[in-house]
Amino acid sequence: MTFSIVARDPQNGWLGMATASRALAAGAAGRHIELGVGAIASQAFANPYLAIDGRDLRQLGIVDHEGRVAAYTGERCIPWAGHLIGGGYVCLGNILEGEDVVKAMATAFERSGGDPLYERLMLALEGGEQAGGDRRGRQAAGIEVLAEEEYALCDLRVDDHPDPVAELRRVLEVFKENAVQSHGTRPQREDFTPNWEALVRRRDAIERDLDEKQAVQTARET
């Protein structure tokens, strides 16, 4: 009921996945990413416990922290259903317009080498959507990427939208702007307050901006 990609960036070891589907909040379901372990996409009639029972109705795409990959598509997944394995990534889907969806995802991902992993995953979703996507229609999409820390660097979702992939692109562009502002100040396991001075300056700038807006509002009211 979905098309997805799981991948590892060979340049920095980042792990991530992206998905789009005609299913509510699909970006929040069936994804499992753990730093130093790997990433798994579980879909079709997904089982969050990743059990083998009922596997004929399920799909899995797996990449580990070293870039090794595996995939499985159950015999009773609704067609078109299948997967494509590449270097450090898996594209997979079911109830798709055709095999061209996963092929387009793989092509977009491979051609974007050198871009940040979240951008490459986004391009893969856009490629799959342009190739036909989920044959039932559109509803939700999401991206998650883990970098150096145990919490997500990027965790974005569009849960219910008539054009979720396009909306996810818009949200990703906002994320990129915010990422530039917070660069180097994200808490680390070994240092909870990296670049503390930069973080304090950012905090002070936010407060000044709020004070200025309040002053303008007060002036208008008087």
Side-chain angles (χ1 to χ4, degrees):
M1 304 175 185
T2 306
F3 55 100
S4 302
I5 178 171
V6 291
R8 175 185 179 273
D9 190 327
Q11 298 183 42
N12 49 33
W14 291 8
L15 294 165
M17 71 165 293
T19 187
S21 179
R22 178 63 172 87
L24 180 68
R31 58 182 188 178
H32 313 267
I33 308 178
E34 186 172 345
L35 190 70
V37 178
I40 300 175
S42 171
Q43 58 191 48
F45 292 89
N47 184 337
Y49 295 106
L50 305 178
I52 63 171
D53 295 345
R55 60 186 178 276
D56 285 352
L57 299 178
R58 312 195 195 289
Q59 270 192 313
L60 288 175
I62 305 170
V63 60
D64 76 2
H65 68 288
E66 294 182 351
R68 294 171 294 197
V69 294
Y72 172 80
T73 298
E75 294 181 358
R76 299 185 66 187
C77 288
I78 300 172
W80 188 90
H83 54 264
L84 190 158
I85 291 176
Y89 72 89
V90 178
C91 298
L92 63 161
N94 60 94
I95 319 186
L96 302 184
E97 287 292 346
E99 185 179 5
D100 286 347
V101 175
V102 292
K103 287 183 176 179
M105 294 174 72
T107 297
F109 185 78
E110 291 184 359
R111 286 179 176 174
S112 57
D115 287 341
L117 183 57
Y118 46 76
E119 175 64 21
R120 300 184 70 191
L121 296 174
M122 184 74 245
L123 290 169
L125 283 190
E126 291 171 333
E129 179 76 8
Q130 291 166 9
D134 188 325
R135 73 187 213 194
R136 299 167 304 160
R138 310 166 179 174
Q139 188 168 10
I143 290 178
E144 182 177 5
V145 172
L146 263 66
E148 298 87 0
E149 301 302 324
E150 297 165 32
Y151 61 91
L153 168 68
C154 175
D155 187 0
L156 308 174
R157 298 201 312 271
V158 175
D159 288 344
D160 186 21
H161 194 278
D163 195 355
V165 173
E167 177 65 4
L168 185 63
R169 164 58 77 182
R170 184 193 68 80
V171 175
L172 181 63
E173 294 305 315
V174 176
F175 162 81
K176 290 178 184 178
E177 295 176 7
N178 291 339
V180 170
Q181 297 176 11
S182 62
H183 179 70
T185 62
R186 299 173 73 238
Q188 303 168 8
R189 173 62 70 183
E190 303 302 326
D191 184 358
F192 295 154
T193 56
N195 295 318
W196 181 249
E197 293 80 6
L199 192 61
V200 171
R201 288 195 298 271
R202 185 179 171 203
R203 176 263 178 210
D204 292 344
I206 292 172
E207 186 173 35
R208 283 195 303 272
D209 183 58
L210 290 171
D211 289 343
E212 290 172 1
K213 289 180 179 178
Q214 184 60 53
V216 170
Q217 182 65 30
T218 301
R220 288 175 178 170
E221 293 174 352
T222 58

